Amino acid sequence: MSRSGPSVPLGATGRADLLRALALRERTQLALDYDAEVWFGYVRRDVVESIPGEPVTVPLPLLSDPEPALAPAGKPALQMPFLHMIVQREAHESPVQAEKPLIGGLTPLAPDNDPDAAAPSPKRLIEYENLVPMARLLPALRRHLGARRAGSLDLELLIQRYAARDLPRHLPRRRLQRWHPELVVVLDFCPRLWPYRMDMHRLAERLLRLCGQSGLSMRIVNHGPLGPWSDWCAHQDRQLKSLPRNRPWRMPPAGTPVLLVSDLGLLTGPDSAPYQAWMRFIGTLRCAQARPVALVPLGAEQLHASLTNRLPVLRWSPDAPAHPVRTHGDGTAQPDGLDELLAMVAATCRTDPPLLRAMRKLNPVAPMNAGLEGALWCHPAIEIGLAVTVKTGAAADPLQRFAEMPPDLHVELNKRRRTHHAHLRRVVDHEEMLLWASHVRESTARAESNNISAAINFMERLTALLQLPGSDPGVWLQVANGIVHRAGSLMSKAFDDELRKPISSVLNNLLNGV
């Protein structure tokens, strides 16, 4: 059976035809159309020596005949286009690079970007750790936020009744615990609870998966209770071009459980306005016959007796029991272990919530108290943002306390800090390495001698960049200014002569136009 295909015109010639013709017999010329004398318009030519820097014409040396015949009239020969080739490469030094670097023969940093300043890792190496495992938290919540329903027949009870000749009037059924079909969850997203923001998001995701969106209302409040609220589910829609609208607060129906995920104002003290506002809100819920339950990320000593007497309070902390707690405390805002946590934060340039949680677990006084994270976020010596830092004027005492901590804690903190900050630019690691090394024992710092030397070399190269005449340091000027600002009160005199004074002198000259 023969195959039929599209017919090819006789005048069309492909590469296979050319190769087949070359294999049969060598030709002196190539022309567009085949005949007995020429081949497809290609003519052999002598090789011309190329001049450096000039365009080079590359012939096609197909034939060995030194005197090729001319193409027939009416069939002009095809010429290959010019082919530009690199015949020589020369490197010329720029006037700035030719000058001798100003500090010890060092190569200055690149003004825009430098490989040594790039982040060691393209992504974060440490995931956000849950405050409490969900397998432990959710059963405790369901006992207080659930409802009972009739299940399958209770065969064991039915057999016991028959064995005792006590015939039941109704068939006994098992009583099953489930999540309430109409559940209200209030998520307090105020700034002082920023360390627990991701925990609230994960709790909301799990409750949405368990309860479904039809009977679950998750309300975000940013400025205390009884104010406007927005729907958490609406915030998760990435296709929205604007923020979800705020809604006025309306009390749920009687008997509805209301979960209050907040500190209820206790991080600012029991005498503060936020705590008093939450107490009034809880009273309003009880008057509306709702069932309020509080989930608070606080330590036992941070609770107040007036709170636990008014509603069930579950502590959201690793050291908390799985049932509501009672307390006779006065709600202290300075729990044990806060000074130690502040000391570890002072030994870093920036501390975000994941690193803060890792530091809290290293705390030698109260590593299991989740309330320390919020207490530190509200500390007067802290500058608040997406990450916290200790104010430069208040860092002396915390750093002194850090220097007195055990060497094992110094080593472990440096290890975790470097892992948590691996996705940040290396300049952060260099500055934090010098800050850490200036407040630990010499024997402890000796194990990080290579990293300390790299940090010193980086700072010296930064100084060399600022001293280059006619250079535009760009963002490095802001980096150097921040280092000098923090080093003036945070770093000890160990690196003062090598780093702070040279950089500060160069900055003053730049700012004064010298």
Side-chain angles (χ1 to χ4, degrees), residues 442-461:
E442 183 178 354
S443 58
T444 303
R446 193 177 298 118
E448 298 288 345
S449 58
N450 292 336
N451 294 323
I452 295 173
S453 299
I456 294 176
N457 178 266
F458 181 88
M459 298 300 178
E460 291 175 342
R461 292 179 59 206

Side-chain angles (χ1 to χ4, degrees), residues 395-450:
D397 291 340
L399 283 174
Q400 181 62 33
R401 183 181 294 272
F402 174 76
E404 297 171 356
M405 288 182 171
D408 294 343
L409 186 143
H410 290 161
V411 174
E412 187 61 27
L413 176 63
N414 185 58
K415 178 181 177 181
R416 297 194 184 188
R417 188 267 310 167
R418 299 197 71 195
T419 305
H420 277 267
H421 285 173
H423 65 289
L424 302 177
R425 301 192 69 179
R426 202 182 298 270
V427 62
V428 178
D429 178 60
H430 290 326
E431 184 179 355
E432 290 181 335
M433 179 60 67
L434 296 178
L435 176 61
W436 174 85
S438 60
H439 293 88
V440 300
R441 298 178 182 178
E442 183 178 354
S443 58
T444 303
R446 193 177 298 118
E448 298 288 345
S449 58
N450 292 336

Side-chain angles (χ1 to χ4, degrees), residues 194-234:
W194 181 260
Y196 314 106
R197 181 72 62 89
M198 182 58 67
D199 299 284
M200 295 185 191
H201 280 297
R202 290 184 175 180
L203 175 61
E205 292 173 357
R206 186 61 64 89
L207 290 176
L208 183 64
R209 194 182 311 164
L210 294 173
C211 305
Q213 192 171 354
S214 59
L216 178 64
S217 176
M218 288 185 287
R219 308 178 181 185
I220 296 176
V221 295
N222 295 296
H223 306 289
L226 288 177
W229 62 275
S230 57
D231 187 14
W232 180 87
C233 295

Side-chain angles (χ1 to χ4, degrees), residues 43-50 57-68:
V43 181
R44 180 188 178 94
R45 299 193 176 187
D46 295 334
V47 179
V48 181
E49 294 184 3
S50 60
T57 303
V58 179
L60 186 66
L62 289 177
L63 308 175
S64 59
D65 196 352
E67 296 181 359

